[in-house]
Amino acid sequence: MASLTSRTRRTIAAGCGLALVVGGAAGFLGRHELNEAWLKYQWRDRHYNAAVMEKALMIAGGNPTEAQNESKEAVTIAEQFAQARTAPGVVAPGAYGNAFTQIQGLTHSAGTWKEVTGVPYNADDPRYRDYYSNSSGGAGHVTGRITGLAADNANHVYAAGADGGVWRSSQGGGAWTSIADTLPSLSGGDLQLAGDGSLWFATGESNTGATSFVGAGVYRLGSPTSAAFAPTDRVGGKELESTTIGRIRFGGGSTVFAATNRGIWYHAAGSKAGAWTFGFAPNPSWMPEIKDDAGNVLVPAGSNWGGNTASGPTDAAYKNIVNDIAVDPKNPKHVVAAIGWRSGDAYNGFYETNDFTTGPSGWHKLSVTLGSITNTSDVGYTTFAFSKTGDRLYALVQQPSKISGSSSLAGIFVSKTGSPKGPWNKIADAAQLHNSGSALDRKGYGVGVQAWYNQFLTVDPANRDHVWAGLEEVFETKDAGSHWSAVSPYWNFYFPCWNIADSKNTCPLAGHPDQHSVAVGTRNGTPVVFFGNDGGVYRRPVNGQVNANGNATDLESTSTDGTLDALQYYSVSVGTETAGSGVVVSGGLQDNGTSNLRKVAPNGTNGDTEMGSGFGGDGGDSAADPRQGCNQLQEYVYLAVKVTNNCATNPGALSEATATSWSLDPGDPNPRFIAPVGLDGADPDTAIFGGQFVYTVPKVWAARDASAVKKVFDLGAGHSATAVSMQDGTAYVSWCGPCNNTGFTRGIATNAGGTWHQLTLASTFPNRFVQGLTIDPANTQHAYAAINGFSRRFTEGPGAGVGHLYETTDGGATWTDTSGNLPDVPASTVKQLANGGVVLGTDLATFYRAKGATTWQVLGTGLPLTVVMDLESAPDGNLYAATHGRGIWSIPAPQ
C-alpha cells in the first residue's frame, strides 16, 4: 500500500469556538484532534452538541463519516517503520540472526546501562491537563503495546511487548520481570502456554501486516514460572527467521501451528529439535526460498519471487499472510485458517484441512457466507475462537471493501455447529457494538475502523456463550451475542460521568484503546481475564460488573508499579531541571503521547515518583533545551510541533488562552509520520525541522505560533526529511522520496559552505534510508550519516550497498564507509561525543568507537537487544537511549 505522506494542515475556528487541526489531503480528523476539539467545546458548555461538531468537521474539509485518521496513521507508521528497514527491497531470511551472531563476537566497553523509565507512567496525571493532553480520559497507568498474553491458574501471567520481549508476573499482574532480554529479537508476535506448562514465544509482530523484518523464530521455555528464555530455546532452525508470526496454536497436545506471513508451518509440540514443516501457502509462486540449518530446501523460490519479476519481492510480502489458525477441539487433525490481506485479494478467505500431515494438498478453500459477504475476497483480517468443547466457532471479521470507510468491521459471527462451513450467524456489527456503551462517535469514527490492526477474540473456558472481543475497545457478551457491553471503552470523554476535575469525575477506569491480545487465568483463586493493548495489560474478573452504560466498574491496570516497561519511544530529550535538582527526561511514544520524568539524578535515581503525559496521542520526535529541560519541542505526528516552557504543566486549561503549549506546525505538504526535529548544538535557542521543506526557528522558546518558523530550503517535490542535524548554523538534512520500496530514492542536503544545496552522492553510497545525522562540534565540515536497513547480502533491491555509518570531512562532497567491524544491522541514530568518540544506535545494540580507533565495541552492558531509535548526550554527563519497546536507558558517556 502507498504510504500517506501528503498531509496539509490548517487551523480553523467554528462558531462554537472549536479549533481543529486537520489533515487536509484526505480531510480526515484524528481521534486525538477530535478529542481536543470536543474537550474545548465540552469545557465551555458541558454537553456534546453533535450538530455543532458535524458543522466544525465540514468546515475543516472533512467528511464526518470518514473521520478515521487514527486508522490511517496506524497504517502509515507501520509501513514507514518497515520501509526504513527494507527499502529499496525486502529482507531475506536470516538477516537478524546473522547480526545477532556478529554481535556476540564483539567486546563491550566499560559502563552499565540503567533503566530510566522503570517508574509508573500515569496517562491521567493531573499535573498535565494542557490543551493538547488526553489526561483524565481514563487510561490510567500505561506502558507500550502488548501483542501476546498467557496466564495459568496459579497467579502467573506472561506478556509479550511489540518490541520489548516477554515479562512474567507471579501475582496476576504487577511486579513484572523481563525474561527474554537475551534473544536476538524482542518483537512479540504471540505468546501461548502449552498443555505441558511450557511457554511459547513467537517473535515477529504481525500488526504491520506487511514486509517481514523483525522475527527470529519461535522459542519454547520449559519452566516459565522460574526460568528465562535463552537463544538455545529456539524451536527448529532459521526457517522462520525474518517472518512475522501472528498466532501460534496447539492441536491435540502434540502439534503446534504457526500463522506467519509466509504461510502455515507446524512442529511437534513436545520438542525443540527438528525443522518446522511447511504446511500451506495459498500463493506458492510468491514464496521465497527457505532452507533449514543444514541447507535443505524446505520451500523452493516461487516463480514470482526475486529477480523473476520487477515487483516480485515487494508484492510478495502481502500474498501469503495467515491471520489465524484454529484447531478443532473435537478433532486435532481438523485445522481451520483465516488467510488474507487486509485490503483484499482473490486468495482471501477461510481454509481448512482434515489431515494437516498431508501437506499443501490437504488444504482447501471454503465457500462461506458471512452476512452480506459471499465473495471470499472481501473477507479480510480474521480471528477465530472455538469454545472449549468445539461446539461453537466464533469469528471476528474485517471487510477489505470497507477499509476506507468509518468502520472496516464486517461483524462478529458464530457457527453454532462448530463447523467453519457454517451456517454463520452475525451476532454483532459496528452499530450494535456502538450502542453497547462504546465511546466512539458513530458519525465520524465507527467501531472497527481499525479492525485490520487491532483484534482479539476468546471464549470463556467455562461458558461457551461468554465471549470477549477486542477491537479499538473491549466488548463482552454472556449470551452468545444477544447483548453486548463495552467493558473497556475507548476513553471516558464522551460520557456524562466525565469531568476534567478528578473530584467531580465519577467514571470508572476506561483502559487504553487498540486491543491486541487476551488471556483467561486465575488470580488469588478468582478467574480473571487480561486484555493487552497499546497501553499495556489490564485485568478484571471473568464474571465482572458493569455500570448502566455497559462499562466495567472493576477494570484495573497492571502497570501501576512501573515494572512493565514496554514503552515504545521514538525520541528522548534531556535538559536541566529548575534549581538544578537533576534533569528532565522526556520523549515521544507510540500512542502514548509524550512522557515527562523530572528530577532524574546523574546516578539514575528519580525524584519524580511517576511520569506524566503533557501531550496526547502519538508522540513523535522531540528536543529539549539543555539549560532548562521544561523548554521542550514535542511533535504529535507529521511535523505538528508544539512548544512549551513548563513541560506543558497545567492542571486544567479551559481554553486555548490559558494553554501552556503552543503549535508551531508549519503546514508542510509532505512530512514523514515521525518527522525530524532538532536544536542547533551550539545555539539551543535555534530549532530545525524537516518535511518537504527545511525550517528553522530562531528564539524558539519564545515562539507562540507558526509565524516564528522560517522556511529555508525545498528538498524537492515528493521528498520528505528523514533526519536533521545542526551546529553553528550549519545543517545537514537527509530525505527520501519515493520512500516506499518500489522506486526508492534518497539524498542529503546541506548549507555547509554557506548556501543550501543538494549533495551528489556517489554510487557507492547505499541506496537505503539515511536515518541519523550528527555534526562534529569542532568542525562543521565533518559529519556522519547512519544508514538503516540491511546491506546487499540480505536486502533484495537496487543499489542497497553495504555499511551502516558513512563519514564526510569536506561538507558532504565525498563520503567514506567507516562501518568497519559493525554488525550488519539497521542503524537509526548516531552521535559524536565530546571526547571525539562516536556512538551508533541500531535495531539490536548500541555501539561505540573511541576517537582514533578503527574498531567498534558494544557500548556497556545491560541494555536489552531492542531497537534504539534516538541517542542524546545530556548535561548530567550521561548518554540517553530511547528504545522502541523497552523504555529509556542511560549510561555514563564514555571518557
Side-chain angles (χ1 to χ4, degrees):
M1 295 179 64
S3 60
L4 302 176
T5 55
S6 178
R7 180 176 170 98
T8 306
R9 295 176 174 274
R10 65 180 184 267
T11 300
I12 61 124
C16 59
L18 295 109
L20 307 181
V21 182
V22 178
F28 296 130
L29 185 70
R31 72 170 168 93
H32 301 290
E33 297 159 340
L34 180 61
N35 171 28
E36 293 162 14
W38 182 78
L39 280 178
K40 293 162 196 172
Y41 186 76
Q42 172 134 339
W43 286 334
R44 179 176 175 178
D45 196 331
R46 186 71 176 93
H47 295 292
Y48 172 58
N49 186 313
V52 173
M53 175 56 73
E54 183 168 335
K55 179 181 178 182
L57 284 166
M58 295 303 288
I59 293 174
N63 183 336
T65 65
E66 295 181 328
Q68 44 143 2
N69 199 46
E70 175 76 0
S71 180
K72 294 294 185 183
E73 289 173 356
V75 175
T76 303
I77 188 54
E79 291 179 346
Q80 291 190 2
F81 198 84
Q83 287 167 2
R85 285 154 179 78
T86 61
V90 297
V91 178
Y96 277 93
N98 175 72
F100 179 78
T101 300
Q102 290 180 303
I103 290 171
Q104 306 315 302
L106 297 182
T107 61
H108 289 251
S109 69
T112 302
W113 289 89
K114 294 184 178 179
E115 187 176 11
V116 176
T117 51
V119 296
Y121 181 23
N122 186 359
D124 292 322
D125 191 324
R127 294 174 294 175
Y128 302 104
R129 293 202 174 147
D130 194 51
Y131 202 59
Y132 296 104
S133 170
N134 284 339
S135 180
S136 80
H141 289 88
V142 299
T143 186
R145 183 164 70 251
I146 299 299
T147 53
L149 281 172
D152 64 17
N153 291 322
N155 287 342
H156 299 105
V157 58
Y158 307 91
D163 206 9
V166 181
W167 280 265
R168 173 181 61 228
S169 171
S170 299
Q171 58 183 44
W176 297 91
T177 302
S178 57
I179 60 171
D181 283 358
T182 63
L183 298 185
S185 174
L186 300 189
S187 175
D190 196 14
L191 197 64
Q192 295 290 334
L193 279 168
D196 62 1
S198 59
L199 181 66
W200 292 63
F201 176 41
T203 65
E205 183 190 6
S206 67
N207 285 329
T208 59
T211 309
S212 55
F213 62 94
V214 294
V218 177
Y219 296 81
R220 177 187 181 273
L221 183 60
S223 302
T225 61
S226 58
F229 284 99
T232 54
D233 291 322
R234 186 162 74 172
V235 179
K238 66 180 182 180
E239 53 273 7
L240 295 188
E241 280 193 12
S242 298
T243 63
T244 61
I245 304 174
R247 298 285 189 270
I248 48 177
R249 297 287 185 259
F250 297 92
S254 61
T255 305
V256 59
F257 297 88
T260 83
N261 69 318
R262 289 174 177 162
I264 298 169
W265 296 73
Y266 63 91
H267 195 279
S271 172
K272 297 180 295 184
W276 286 80
T277 300
F278 174 62
F280 176 68
N283 295 294
S285 65
W286 294 91
M287 290 285 283
E289 181 181 73
I290 301 176
K291 299 179 180 180
D292 63 15
D293 288 353
N296 299 310
V297 176
L298 302 177
V299 179
S303 59
N304 288 319
W305 180 264
N308 297 306
T309 67
S311 61
T314 302
D315 291 348
Y318 309 96
K319 288 294 185 179
N320 290 295
I321 292 175
V322 182
N323 308 137
D324 198 8
I325 295 171
V327 182
D328 190 339
K330 302 188 299 295
N331 176 10
K333 286 197 171 185
H334 179 212
V335 185
V336 185
I339 303 179
W341 174 232
R342 66 191 181 205
S343 295
D345 206 311
Y347 73 93
N348 281 32
F350 295 174
Y351 293 74
E352 76 169 351
T353 178
N354 290 302
D355 186 359
F356 67 88
T357 60
T358 60
S361 62
W363 287 88
H364 55 276
K365 187 176 181 181
L366 298 176
S367 177
V368 297
T369 298
L370 298 165
S372 62
I373 301 176
T374 57
N375 182 353
T376 57
S377 64
D378 207 20
V379 176
Y381 179 26
T382 295
T383 303
F384 290 127
F386 269 113
S387 60
K388 185 176 182 179
T389 56
D391 54 349
R392 295 280 175 87
L393 177 59
Y394 295 88
L396 194 164
V397 182
Q398 175 254 342
Q399 190 168 356
S401 63
K402 294 182 177 180
I403 200 166
S404 297
S406 61
S407 173
S408 65
L409 177 67
I412 303 175
F413 302 85
V414 64
S415 168
K416 292 188 176 181
T417 64
S419 170
K421 300 180 181 68
W424 289 96
N425 298 317
K426 183 186 289 189
I427 58 174
D429 56 22
Q432 183 177 355
L433 294 176
H434 175 270
N435 292 328
S436 69
S438 166
L440 294 178
D441 176 16
R442 271 180 67 188
K443 284 186 174 292
Y445 185 44
V447 173
V449 67
Q450 289 183 180
W452 58 268
Y453 167 65
N454 34 232
Q455 283 192 20
F456 71 60
L457 190 68
T458 197
V459 184
D460 184 346
N463 181 356
R464 67 178 186 177
D465 294 333
H466 188 185
V467 180
W468 294 275
L471 289 159
E472 299 79 27
E473 304 162 295
V474 180
F475 300 94
E476 178 187 48
T477 179
K478 294 183 178 181
D479 53 14
S482 295
H483 302 87
W484 290 89
S485 297
V487 293
S488 182
Y490 203 92
W491 49 25
N492 287 326
F493 288 130
Y494 284 92
F495 300 142
C497 57
W498 177 84
N499 193 290
I500 194 170
D502 288 342
S503 62
K504 299 179 181 179
N505 187 349
T506 60
C507 296
L509 188 71
H512 199 285
D514 301 345
Q515 313 301 319
H516 299 284
S517 53
V518 63
V520 178
T522 299
R523 178 174 182 262
N524 299 330
T526 300
V528 291
V529 59
F530 298 92
F531 308 137
N533 50 49
D534 278 10
V537 181
Y538 294 78
R539 69 174 176 236
R540 67 185 295 256
V542 164
N543 296 302
Q545 302 299 313
V546 298
N547 61 18
N549 196 48
N551 309 134
T553 59
D554 44 18
L555 189 67
E556 299 176 286
S557 169
T558 69
S559 299
T560 56
D561 61 5
T563 55
L564 181 57
D565 188 6
L567 292 166
Q568 296 175 268
Y569 282 93
Y570 295 116
S571 63
V572 59
S573 298
V574 188
T576 303
E577 172 66 292
T578 305
S581 55
V583 294
V584 181
V585 180
S586 59
L589 291 141
Q590 188 275 332
D591 210 23
N592 281 293
T594 298
S595 69
N596 277 315
L597 182 61
R598 305 174 68 168
K599 302 180 182 178
V600 180
N603 64 3
T605 58
N606 298 315
D608 210 356
T609 58
E610 65 179 22
M611 296 188 291
S613 178
F615 299 93
D618 280 289
D621 205 355
S622 63
D625 186 344
R627 306 158 302 183
Q628 169 52 276
C630 277
N631 280 344
Q632 296 177 1
L633 294 174
Q634 300 290 355
E635 179 187 25
Y636 169 41
V637 292
Y638 295 116
L639 212 56
V641 180
K642 310 294 191 301
V643 62
T644 179
N645 303 132
N646 70 345
C647 293
T649 303
N650 197 328
L654 299 182
S655 70
E656 192 170 15
T658 57
T660 57
S661 58
W662 301 269
S663 175
L664 304 183
D665 186 344
D668 189 87
N670 197 32
R672 297 284 288 170
F673 184 84
I674 304 298
V677 175
L679 299 177
D680 189 314
D683 176 17
D685 289 323
T686 299
I688 181 170
F689 310 158
Q692 176 180 315
F693 295 91
V694 180
Y695 306 89
T696 59
V697 191
K699 299 180 180 179
V700 64
W701 307 121
R704 291 297 177 263
D705 56 46
S707 66
V709 181
K710 310 301 180 185
K711 186 186 298 183
V712 296
F713 187 66
D714 185 353
L715 294 173
H719 296 169
S720 303
T722 57
V724 298
S725 186
M726 191 174 194
Q727 184 76 29
D728 286 317
T730 296
Y732 295 79
V733 179
S734 59
W735 54 265
C736 62
C739 297
N740 56 7
N741 301 46
T742 303
F744 175 80
T745 308
R746 50 74 188 117
I748 300 176
T750 184
N751 64 346
T755 59
W756 279 97
H757 59 283
Q758 294 279 7
L759 297 176
T760 299
L761 299 178
S763 60
T764 54
F765 193 101
N767 187 38
R768 309 201 310 271
F769 269 78
V770 181
Q771 198 70 53
L773 294 165
T774 190
I775 304 172
D776 185 343
N779 178 9
T780 58
Q781 296 289 298
H782 182 205
Y784 293 91
I787 313 298
N788 214 312
F790 289 92
S791 292
R792 180 64 188 91
R793 176 184 175 189
F794 290 104
T795 299
E796 300 188 21
V802 297
H804 293 277
L805 187 69
Y806 278 69
E807 179 182 19
T808 181
T809 57
D810 54 15
T814 60
W815 294 84
T816 303
D817 183 2
T818 60
S819 303
N821 64 325
L822 277 173
D824 185 7
V825 62
S828 294
T829 178
V830 59
K831 293 294 177 186
Q832 179 170 332
L833 304 179
N835 69 354
V838 180
V839 180
L840 185 71
T842 75
D843 277 9
L844 288 181
T846 299
F847 302 98
Y848 173 65
R849 187 184 66 196
K851 182 179 180 180
T854 58
T855 60
W856 293 84
Q857 299 174 290
V858 178
L859 179 60
T861 57
L863 184 66
L865 295 178
T866 190
V867 180
V868 175
M869 297 293 293
D870 189 25
L871 292 164
E872 293 295 334
S873 297
D876 61 359
N878 287 333
L879 182 72
Y880 286 79
T883 76
H884 198 65
R886 287 302 303 273
I888 295 173
W889 295 67
S890 70
I891 192 172
Q895 301 300 313

